[in-house]
Amino acid sequence: MTMKRKTRARWLPLCAAACGIAAFTPSVAHATCNLSVEPVQDQLVIRHNPLEAGAVYGTVEVNIVNRGDSECIGRLGASLRGETFGFASDDGAPSIPYQLIDEKGSTDITPRAGRNLRGMGGRAIRLMPGERSMELLSIAAAPDSATSQGRYTQSLDLNVAGDDGMLLGTKPLTLGIDILPAALIGLKGQLARARGTNSVDLGELVPGTKDLPITLYVISTGGYRVSISSENQGRLKHESAEWFVDYRLRLGRHDLDLTSSDSFEIVSRRARFDNYPVRIEIGETAGKRAGGYTDTVTFTVAAL
């Protein structure tokens, strides 16, 4: 009887040891693909004057790093966050369309429909664990002269997705354009060229008001100031003697005092295309010497 009790006592610790070994057997780990999308900059906003020739163009470098422990294969694309496509401003001005290109694969990845992940059959990115790839994205847009000044942006996500559409990595990026305050000025109508400048023939000098066959125009991205100066302080000067005929100008609804520099301002948050018909009021001509009378008037514009 004593020997049987000892035998049972020996098997209890052996069973406990065997059970302990089974409980601590490790599970098998699964290899995973984990891509990190790392733009060199989180934001690219390009300064642009739409009244000058040339389109908007810029580039962004993007590092894609495999931080997992298995091979990753995917394609670079972009997606929006529920926004309408296009660079938009805070004040509700019309948006500006743009194009986003994967330069290495010459692939258009613009998210026009909200999402573009597969890159229309573009170049595949294949990375082993710890491996990285430098990608180059270009941004192009062509705002026209009707674009109002201000900042226009779009926030999107850069993504790398597998052929099954599953995201392997993603990173937010903000793109945009700063439309600079800009304005240009000119004359149109029945103009001639004299000594490198525009000129208009007033005909016979008769006191009174007459409409000239010319129009001053201004194109701007917003508000502006027009300044006017007269070489002879508002007087037409005789070509060969110290004889003068006083006159005044009216641009649209703006009467100008040319005895000194004069100006007027247009306040606006929107792009402008303004025309100003030119009218002249000629002063007294009695007793003045016959001959040609001239003056040089300079119009300049500055954006506000």
Side-chain angles (χ1 to χ4, degrees):
M1 297 293 291
T2 305
M3 290 181 64
K4 289 180 180 180
R5 285 194 296 272
K6 290 181 179 179
T7 300
R8 287 172 183 166
R10 286 195 201 100
W11 280 104
L12 287 173
L14 287 174
C15 180
C19 292
I21 291 171
F24 290 98
T25 301
S27 61
V28 178
H30 296 284
T32 59
C33 166
N34 178 18
L35 287 181
S36 176
V37 181
E38 303 171 359
V40 173
Q41 58 204 84
D42 295 331
Q43 175 175 284
L44 175 64
V45 179
I46 306 165
R47 292 167 59 84
H48 179 67
N49 180 351
L51 302 184
E52 295 179 350
V56 179
Y57 182 82
T59 58
V60 175
E61 292 182 339
V62 181
N63 278 303
I64 300 178
V65 186
N66 185 351
R67 301 194 182 280
D69 50 15
S70 71
E71 183 183 40
C72 292
I73 303 174
R75 300 182 188 278
L76 184 63
S79 61
L80 301 180
R81 304 174 179 179
E83 300 176 1
T84 302
F85 168 71
F87 295 143
S89 68
D90 292 336
D91 61 2
S95 61
I96 303 171
Y98 63 93
Q99 191 174 37
L100 184 62
I101 300 294
D102 171 8
E103 289 291 338
K104 281 190 177 181
S106 298
T107 305
D108 188 340
I109 61 171
T110 311
R112 294 182 182 86
R115 191 174 189 188
N116 186 338
L117 298 180
R118 299 197 180 192
M120 299 296 290
R123 176 181 52 87
I125 299 172
R126 183 187 297 265
L127 296 175
M128 298 302 293
E131 198 173 12
R132 69 174 56 223
S133 175
M134 174 67 80
E135 307 300 321
L136 181 66
L137 304 181
S138 66
I139 301 94
D144 59 29
S145 57
T147 304
S148 302
Q149 63 196 42
R151 176 164 289 196
Y152 296 72
T153 60
Q154 176 118 82
S155 294
L156 52 80
D157 290 319
L158 292 179
N159 308 297
V160 179
D163 287 337
D164 59 359
M166 180 176 292
L167 289 179
L168 306 177
T170 185
K171 184 72 174 181
L173 178 66
T174 297
L175 303 174
I177 306 173
D178 265 337
I179 299 296
L180 303 177
L184 62 84
I185 195 169
L187 289 168
K188 56 186 178 181
Q190 298 178 24
L191 295 162
R193 296 287 291 179
R195 297 188 297 274
T197 62
N198 292 315
S199 65
V200 59
D201 187 353
L202 300 178
E204 183 179 355
L205 289 182
V206 178
T209 301
K210 65 186 299 185
D211 293 325
L212 299 183
I214 60 173
T215 298
L216 183 81
Y217 67 86
V218 176
I219 302 173
S220 74
T221 60
Y224 59 86
R225 177 188 300 109
V226 173
S227 299
I228 306 93
S229 63
S230 162
E231 185 177 287
N232 298 319
Q233 290 76 51
R235 299 178 299 173
L236 296 166
K237 182 180 181 297
H238 191 275
E239 57 193 348
S240 60
E242 293 299 316
W243 292 82
F244 296 91
V245 173
D246 294 333
Y247 76 97
R248 294 176 63 87
L249 281 183
R250 181 180 177 89
L251 298 179
R253 60 184 177 82
H254 302 283
D255 285 312
L256 305 175
D257 179 5
L258 300 181
T259 58
S260 60
S261 295
D262 202 354
S263 66
F264 63 88
E265 292 185 358
I266 300 297
V267 179
S268 176
R269 293 172 60 91
R270 290 285 188 267
R272 306 278 303 195
F273 295 83
D274 294 331
N275 291 310
Y276 298 96
V278 182
R279 173 175 289 189
I280 188 170
E281 182 182 344
I282 298 172
E284 185 56 56
T285 60
K288 304 294 182 180
R289 184 173 178 175
Y293 287 75
T294 62
D295 188 21
T296 298
V297 179
T298 302
F299 304 93
T300 57
V301 66
L304 298 179

